[in-house]
């Protein structure tokens, strides 16, 4: 008997192995088996993909050594999805497997293991386990190969696997930080102080202590004690609002008026779960549209303006899926967005909401994976970023892809370079589930699919309640400069708007799509710009670390004191990033509380949550940030949004630049005035008459779509074609060029002028590798055959010895 295995290696293909008779019963599809692979007798745990395999008739065929699992760890539906991903994105099944399976489930000779507890467990009574635990006491860490030697076993994996399950061992990559949720602290009245009379008595008692009385009054006001809101107030909010200190609060805790307790951030108070909001008439109509569309088509695009209540609609659909006992996958483009969403979803659906994203410790993903396999009913709703789609769903009824236009759905590095939105639709299809794609600024692709009738389309074009869409004001910075109304990067018009908002106790968000202090330093004499030694890109100055940094390879450099071309000491900074904006703003508005949100300030585990929760509690007046601030944030008091430099967004050298610029500007604008008065958005630009800015100002998403579609049609870009980007990389530039030229000419024999390049990409050298790119436009109607041709051409060229050493990156549907 023979089986096909998927192995965690980047070698294309599946691998046929012989199954010894004693293992035949157990080597079923989706289970892990141990197999030798490659030279040096390395062992890997592979996944059984097929069991009814015919004898390949090879002279020497390797046999599997053991079967690790008694039940599948990968379902057949997952295997089918892996096939789709590997086929569509032209990557190996091994690469998909490595992206999908939690690390702890992928064992190899190189896997390193450590003891799980601090103390060595008592004698296990099992000689092998004891030997192993003793060795780990001495050496701390062992590789699988070490264990094999130690125990004189050819295949030590079954022993290891058993001990991993018993919890005496751990995979080295799983140790380290334990996941501890960020805690929020709350204040409420003690039981004894809760009655009407008791509370009156307290008011009397505190009469002579104005600070304490103020604290109690603020609590009563904020907790809405006489309405039906929650009876608790966040500790920080209460202290800030009442202008008191922790010492005041502690006094009242000692006197047993208040009690303070904590709860993980985002978890609703007990008893608050389950309440649904009543939908408005436009929301009901849109929901009916979605339902009707989904009765006929597998996918429905929900085009709903910002703050229209799309999330409320999703929750209705989720409740329906749950009612039928089916699972829901709710995808968000960015981990950052999950906190707010999880809070709302837990408030409605309780603790069973499963969470999956890459910032969770590896252990959490393993646990979730195994829990879903054991009991699919345990997590009827899974919320997560990209990789959540790779979890073992049992019976999906609904997939929600929120902010479906977002480029973060696309994985860039490493392969599989998949778009989670597109693969979510494939996943849904295999379960017979429905997909809802939601956005205020849908992607060209999805709009096009809706218009062609492949997807249903539902619209919700009014904001919830009486909220109006924000007023957009274009600020001509050239003109303001002429009138001496520019303060650095800020126009007086915008500054006044921000100041007025703060005076009204409202908040502002400022968007600048570059991090760091300044992108570039330049020699005033000769124009020299400091560049990374390993990448062809200019360096960004980061003031906090007082150094230059390469945003491509991460290397740091000391700041230059003089020009390395002409020696001049006259260097100036050009351009500006979020760090500089934050600093300048602090000088202009010294009383404002300003915070910054970008990759640099959100590295820590809870850093992102902390900034957002402080903003949500009113502890920050102005939030400055990169595209992170454009997405999904829902804070009522934000009434002013400023886009510091729109020209920069529009000038990006990419065919999607206008689409992206429109989406980013509209999305960040949508953070403004979500409940109160409309709110104002300031767009600063030189080219204020740029048509895209006009479309943002008019909130004209469809107009944008029409304009852009014509452009795409004329130039043969998606959605009219599908793109594949091929990038050749080598340390030796000449070799990268030679291979790229060879590949391009082979491609041209079948695809003609649908092959663009080769040419050096905008950053032509990264980490000392020289890059050459080819872009292929495949005809939508001949997509399959086009891709087959591509595959053959690549295999042919890379089979030649002179090209073999050149690295090739294939990116299908690049973003
Ligand atoms: P979107 O997802 O379209 O941006 P949200 O679902 O976040 O919109 O809704 C915007 C705000 O309006 C949220 O604070 C939400 O709680 C509130 N909201 C939306 N619909 C309702 C409703 N039917 N009743 C009460 N509040 C609502
Ligand atoms: Zn110079
Ligand atoms: Zn670099």
């Amino acid at each position: 008997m023979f089986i096909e295995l998927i192995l965690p290696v980047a070698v294309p293909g599946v691998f046929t192995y012989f199954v010894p008779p004693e293992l035949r019963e157990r080597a079923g599809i989706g289970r892990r088996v141990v197999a030798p692979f490659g030279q040096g007798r390395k062992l890997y745990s592979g996944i059984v993909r097929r069991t009814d395999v015919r004898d390949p008739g090879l002279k020497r065929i390797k046999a599997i050594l053991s079967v690790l699992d008694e039940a599948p760890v990968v379902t057949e539906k997952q295997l089918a999805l892996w096939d789709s991903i590997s086929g569509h994105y032209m990557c190996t099944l091994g690469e998909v497997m490595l992206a999908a399976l939690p690390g702890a489930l992928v064992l190899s000779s190189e896997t390193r293991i450590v003891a799980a507890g601090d103390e060595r467990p008592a004698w296990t009574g099992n000689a092998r386990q004891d030997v192993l635990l003793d060795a780990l006491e001495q050496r701390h860490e062992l590789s699988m190969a070490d264990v094999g030697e130690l125990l004189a076993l050819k295949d030590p994996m079954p022993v290891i696997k058993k001990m991993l399950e018993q919890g005496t061992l751990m995979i080295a990559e799983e140790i380290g930080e334990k996941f501890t949720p960020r805690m929020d602290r709350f204040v409420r009245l003690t039981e004894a102080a809760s009655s009407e009379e008791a509370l009156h008595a307290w008011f009397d008692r505190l009469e002579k202590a104005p600070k304490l009385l103020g604290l109690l009054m603020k609590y009563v006001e904020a907790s809405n004690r006489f309405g039906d809101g929650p009876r608790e107030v966040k500790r920080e909010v209460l202290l800030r609002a009442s202008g008191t200190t922790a010492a005041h609060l502690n006094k009242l805790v000692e006197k047993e008026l208040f009690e303070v307790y904590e709860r993980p951030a985002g978890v609703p108070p007990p008893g608050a779960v389950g309440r649904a909001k009543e939908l408005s008439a436009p929301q009901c109509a849109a929901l009916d549209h979605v339902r009707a569309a989904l009765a006929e088509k597998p996918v429905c695009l929900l085009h709903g303006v910002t703050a229209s209540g799309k999330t409320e609609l999703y929750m209705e659909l989720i409740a329906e899926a749950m009612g039928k006992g089916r699972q829901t996958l709710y995808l968000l483009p960015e981990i950052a967005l999950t906190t707010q969403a999880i809070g709302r979803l837990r408030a409605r659906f309780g603790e069973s909401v499963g969470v999956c994203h890459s910032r969770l410790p590896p252990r959490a993903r393993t646990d979730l994976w195994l829990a879903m396999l054991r009991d699919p009913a345990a997590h009827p709703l899974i919320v997560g970023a990209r990789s959540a789609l790779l979890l073992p769903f049992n019976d999906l009824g609904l997939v929600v892809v929120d902010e479906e236009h977002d480029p973060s759905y696309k994985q860039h590095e490493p392969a599989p370079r998949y778009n989670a939105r597109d693969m979510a639709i494939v996943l849904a299809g295999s379960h017979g589930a429905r997909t809802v794609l939601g956005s205020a600024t849908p992607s060209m692709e999805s709009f096009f699919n809706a218009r062609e009738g492949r997807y249903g389309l539902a619209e919700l074009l009014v904001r919830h309640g009486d909220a109006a869409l924000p007023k957009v004001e274009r600020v001509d910075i050239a003109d303001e400069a002429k009138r001496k109304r520019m303060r650095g990067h800020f126009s007086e018009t915008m500054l006044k708007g921000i100041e007025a908002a703060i005076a009204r106790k409202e908040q502002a968000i400022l968007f600048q799509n570059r991090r760091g202090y300044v992108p570039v330093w330049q020699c005033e004499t000769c124009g020299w710009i400091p560049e990374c030694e390993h990448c062809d890109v200019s360096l960004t100055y980061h003031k906090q670390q007082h150094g230059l940094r390469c945003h491509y390879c991460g290397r740091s450099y000391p700041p230059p004191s003089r020009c390395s071309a002409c020696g001049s000491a006259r260097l100036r900074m050009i351009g500006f990033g979020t760090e500089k904006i934050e600093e300048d703003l602090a000088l202009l508005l010294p009383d404002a509380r300003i915070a910054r949100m970008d990759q640099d300030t959100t590295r820590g585990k809870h850093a992102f949550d902390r900034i957002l929760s402080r903003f949500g509690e009113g502890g920050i007046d102005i939030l400055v940030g990169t595209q992170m601030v454009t997405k999904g944030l829902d804070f009522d008091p934000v009434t002013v949004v400023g886009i510091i430099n729109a020209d920069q967004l529009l000038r990006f050298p990419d065919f999607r630049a206008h689409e992206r610029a429109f989406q980013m500007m509209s999305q960040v604008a949508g953070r403004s005035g979500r409940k109160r008065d409309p709110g104002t958005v300031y767009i600063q630009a030189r080219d204020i008459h740029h048509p895209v800015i006009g479309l943002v100002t008019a909130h004209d998403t469809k107009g944008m779509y029409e304009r852009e579609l014509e452009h795409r049609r004329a130039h043969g870009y998606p959605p009219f074609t599908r793109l594949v980007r091929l990038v050749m990389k080598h340390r030796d530039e000449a070799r990268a060029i030679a291979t790229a030229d060879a590949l391009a000419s082979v491609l041209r024999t079948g695809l003609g002028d649908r092959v663009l390049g080769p040419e050096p990409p905008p950053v032509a050298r990264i980490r000392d590798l020289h890059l050459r790119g080819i872009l292929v436009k495949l005809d939508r109607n001949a997509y399959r055959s086009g891709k087959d041709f591509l595959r053959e051409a690549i295999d042919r060229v890379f089979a030649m010895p002179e090209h073999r050493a050149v690295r090739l990156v294939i990116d299908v549907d690049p973003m």
Side-chain angles (χ1 to χ4, degrees):
M1 183 193 155
F2 299 88
I3 51 173
E4 260 178 25
L5 289 187
I6 305 172
L7 291 171
V9 294
V11 181
V14 283
F15 306 94
T16 304
Y17 280 84
F18 174 73
V19 185
E22 68 276 16
L23 296 178
R24 280 184 195 168
E25 282 284 288
R26 295 171 54 224
I29 291 176
R31 300 187 199 191
R32 289 173 302 162
V33 301
V34 178
F37 181 80
Q39 264 95 44
R41 288 205 225 141
K42 269 198 198 145
L43 300 184
Y44 293 91
S45 70
I47 298 286
V48 180
R49 182 175 180 253
R50 275 181 50 204
T51 50
D52 53 350
V53 182
R54 274 200 290 153
D55 186 342
L58 296 174
K59 252 204 228 107
R60 288 180 53 210
I61 183 149
K62 287 179 181 160
I64 61 165
L65 299 178
S66 60
V67 177
L68 291 180
D69 302 305
E70 300 309 318
V73 293
V74 180
T75 67
E76 299 208 22
K77 280 187 183 134
Q78 283 181 295
L79 289 174
L81 181 67
W82 291 10
D83 274 338
S84 304
I85 293 176
S86 130
H88 185 79
Y89 294 102
M90 302 178 80
C91 61
T92 71
L93 276 168
E95 286 168 326
V96 183
M97 170 183 178
L98 284 169
L101 263 190
L105 298 182
V106 186
L107 303 179
S108 77
S109 296
E110 265 124 58
T111 304
R112 292 163 309 128
I113 52 155
V114 295
D118 294 335
E119 301 230 339
R120 186 198 185 293
W123 298 109
T124 61
N126 176 314
R128 279 184 183 142
Q129 295 197 9
D130 284 330
V131 170
L132 197 51
L133 290 168
D134 283 343
L136 280 171
E137 264 196 320
Q138 311 256 313
R139 284 165 67 185
H140 182 60
E141 192 179 290
L142 294 170
S143 74
M144 194 68 79
D146 295 338
V147 176
E149 264 173 43
L150 194 70
L151 303 181
L153 283 177
K154 199 167 142 208
D155 170 18
M157 286 198 206
V159 178
I160 301 288
K161 186 243 174 189
K162 194 171 217 168
M163 293 176 74
L164 288 170
E165 276 177 3
Q166 290 166 348
T168 45
L169 293 186
M170 273 172 82
I171 303 282
E173 72 177 43
E174 286 200 330
I175 57 163
E177 272 183 292
K178 262 228 206 80
F179 185 66
T180 41
R182 198 175 58 86
M183 304 299 274
D184 279 337
R185 278 189 283 177
F186 296 90
V187 176
R188 69 179 166 214
L189 294 174
T190 59
E191 189 76 46
S194 289
S195 73
E196 202 78 0
E197 306 85 64
L199 202 54
H200 273 293
W202 274 104
F203 273 109
D204 294 341
R205 270 180 70 183
L206 296 179
E207 211 171 0
K208 299 224 170 57
K211 275 280 178 196
L212 301 183
L213 185 63
L215 189 55
L216 177 57
M217 276 161 61
K218 262 293 164 220
Y219 168 81
V220 171
E221 184 189 318
S223 69
N224 187 19
R225 223 189 78 80
F226 304 109
D228 57 1
R231 301 282 193 267
E232 62 180 18
V233 183
K234 253 195 192 170
R235 183 173 169 278
E236 279 65 40
V237 174
L238 183 60
L239 293 181
R240 198 174 301 121
S242 58
T244 54
T245 64
H248 294 120
L249 179 62
N250 288 346
K251 215 173 261 171
L252 292 180
V253 171
E254 272 164 37
K255 290 177 189 284
E256 292 178 13
L257 168 60
F258 287 133
E259 55 194 11
V260 177
Y261 53 97
E262 51 178 31
R263 195 165 63 233
V267 172
V273 171
R275 254 180 285 160
K277 296 199 164 90
E278 200 173 316
L279 296 189
S280 65
Q283 289 173 340
C284 286
L287 186 58
D288 285 343
H289 261 109
V290 174
R291 287 199 192 104
L294 291 182
E296 297 190 350
K297 290 173 182 160
V299 183
C300 179
L301 173 62
L302 172 60
H303 174 207
V305 297
T306 51
S308 57
K310 291 185 291 296
T311 315
E312 302 297 328
L313 262 54
Y314 303 148
M315 290 198 282
E316 290 305 314
L317 295 165
I318 294 167
E320 283 167 24
M322 279 185 184
K324 293 185 195 136
R326 304 187 75 188
Q327 293 168 300
T328 298
L329 168 63
Y330 189 134
L331 284 179
L332 289 153
E334 200 120 22
I335 303 162
L337 290 178
T338 52
T339 312
Q340 268 202 346
I342 291 163
R344 283 172 77 176
L345 293 166
R346 290 226 162 112
R348 173 85 181 261
F349 300 113
E351 287 300 295
S352 63
V353 178
V355 178
C356 175
H357 55 64
S358 58
R359 283 235 183 146
L360 292 178
R363 182 84 229 171
R365 188 174 156 89
T366 313
D367 290 347
L368 180 62
W369 185 289
L370 296 175
M372 287 175 75
L373 284 176
R374 241 185 345 259
D375 177 16
H379 295 291
L381 170 59
I382 297 286
V383 187
R386 208 159 54 209
S387 63
L389 129 113
L390 298 166
L391 288 169
F393 293 96
N394 176 56
D395 179 24
L396 263 179
L398 175 68
V399 174
V400 173
V401 184
D402 198 11
E403 314 289 357
E404 66 86 23
H405 64 277
D406 198 302
S408 308
Y409 276 125
K410 171 85 177 175
Q411 168 147 320
H412 291 289
E413 200 60 44
R417 297 180 175 79
Y418 65 107
N419 186 316
R421 173 198 61 204
D422 299 340
M423 286 303 109
I425 294 171
V426 174
L427 169 71
S430 72
H431 284 260
R434 298 300 185 201
T435 305
V436 178
L437 305 177
S439 176
T441 52
S443 63
M444 295 299 296
E445 281 82 355
S446 298
F447 250 141
F448 187 69
N449 280 325
R451 182 149 97 178
E452 300 275 290
R454 280 186 287 273
Y455 299 170
L457 176 65
E459 296 179 323
L460 183 52
L461 302 178
V462 291
R463 283 186 153 183
H464 173 66
D466 296 326
L469 284 167
K471 191 171 91 216
V472 181
E473 202 169 306
R474 289 177 269 193
V475 183
D476 181 341
I477 45 181
D479 182 63
E480 295 243 340
K482 241 188 279 159
R483 297 163 196 255
K484 307 245 178 307
R485 286 169 51 90
M486 287 302 285
R487 305 273 174 276
H489 300 294
F490 306 95
S491 61
E492 257 179 32
T493 309
M494 188 172 80
L495 276 177
K496 288 228 169 81
I498 297 172
E499 270 180 310
I502 297 176
R504 294 190 304 263
K505 295 218 176 321
E506 296 163 359
Q507 292 169 311
I509 290 179
L510 292 186
F511 169 47
Q512 166 61 19
N513 205 27
R514 295 197 100 135
R515 67 199 164 97
Y517 192 74
V518 286
V520 193
W521 279 29
Q522 191 175 37
C523 169
E524 282 192 26
T525 315
C526 75
W528 171 82
I529 285 171
E531 288 197 345
C532 178
E533 286 165 22
H534 304 271
C535 314
D536 288 343
V537 69
S538 51
L539 297 168
T540 301
Y541 178 59
H542 287 250
K543 192 171 183 196
Q544 216 171 346
Q545 294 98 348
H546 188 53
L548 297 172
R549 238 193 9 242
C550 171
H551 284 185
Y552 280 79
C553 71
R555 281 194 180 76
S556 297
Y557 297 84
S561 50
R562 44 187 66 250
C563 170
S564 31
C566 75
S568 159
R570 296 187 42 184
L571 300 175
R572 62 171 179 182
M573 303 175 177
I574 52 178
F576 52 98
T578 42
E579 194 183 357
K580 173 92 168 124
I581 293 293
E582 184 192 19
E583 185 186 278
D584 288 357
L585 201 58
L587 294 174
L588 292 165
L589 303 173
D591 296 329
R593 294 162 304 167
I594 305 167
R596 169 161 59 98
M597 189 159 84
D598 57 25
Q599 264 187 59
D600 298 320
T601 63
T602 54
R603 274 182 224 282
K605 197 163 45 146
H606 296 308
F608 197 92
D609 284 0
R610 220 174 280 130
I611 297 173
L612 281 189
S613 87
R614 235 175 76 216
F615 193 54
E617 288 159 11
I620 296 169
D621 299 314
I622 308 172
L623 187 63
V624 178
T626 54
Q627 39 84 31
M628 283 186 181
V629 300
T630 65
K631 301 181 182 182
L633 306 183
D634 181 23
F635 295 112
D636 303 348
V638 175
T639 56
V640 168
V641 162
I643 296 167
I644 310 271
N645 186 337
D647 302 314
Q648 205 184 60
L649 297 174
L650 290 161
R651 276 198 306 251
F652 214 72
D654 181 82
F655 78 94
R656 280 187 225 269
H658 287 183
E659 180 188 3
R660 289 273 176 277
F662 178 82
Q663 286 165 347
M664 282 198 262
M665 287 194 269
S666 304
Q667 289 287 346
V668 72
R671 304 307 117 214
S672 171
R674 290 172 72 85
K675 289 257 174 73
R676 303 190 189 177
D677 25 47
T680 311
V681 179
Y682 298 96
I683 302 183
Q684 296 193 149
R686 272 172 204 288
D687 188 6
I688 55 164
H689 299 297
H690 194 291
V692 172
I693 297 182
L695 290 160
V696 174
T697 309
H699 305 290
D700 189 359
T701 307
K702 275 191 207 138
M704 178 67 206
Y705 168 75
E706 297 300 340
R707 174 180 190 274
E708 192 60 22
L709 199 68
E710 271 326 298
H711 181 82
R712 302 279 179 93
R713 195 197 310 271
H715 296 92
Y717 278 111
F720 298 99
T721 56
R722 298 193 81 144
L723 302 182
V724 180
R725 178 175 289 143
L726 304 164
V727 179
M728 264 68 31
K729 300 184 180 182
H730 200 276
R731 283 187 161 268
D732 179 354
E733 186 173 16
R735 296 192 62 179
I737 292 174
T739 302
D741 285 344
L743 182 56
S745 55
V746 173
L747 288 173
R748 286 212 168 85
T749 61
L751 297 165
D753 61 1
R754 293 176 163 275
V755 180
L756 308 184
E759 55 183 16
V763 177
R765 187 177 53 121
I766 297 177
R767 295 174 202 270
D768 289 323
L769 293 176
H770 292 272
L771 276 49
R772 281 296 178 280
I774 298 173
L775 190 66
V776 181
K777 298 173 170 176
L778 295 177
D779 192 334
R780 274 188 90 91
N781 302 317
Y783 180 59
R784 278 276 151 86
S785 58
K787 224 149 96 198
D788 289 344
F789 174 75
L790 194 60
R791 182 83 262 174
E792 279 164 33
I794 290 169
D795 289 346
R796 189 135 47 92
V797 169
F798 281 83
M800 299 179 205
E802 65 268 38
H803 300 308
R804 223 170 267 160
V806 174
R807 226 194 115 201
L808 171 69
V809 171
I810 306 176
D811 191 355
V812 179
D813 302 334
M815 284 286 217

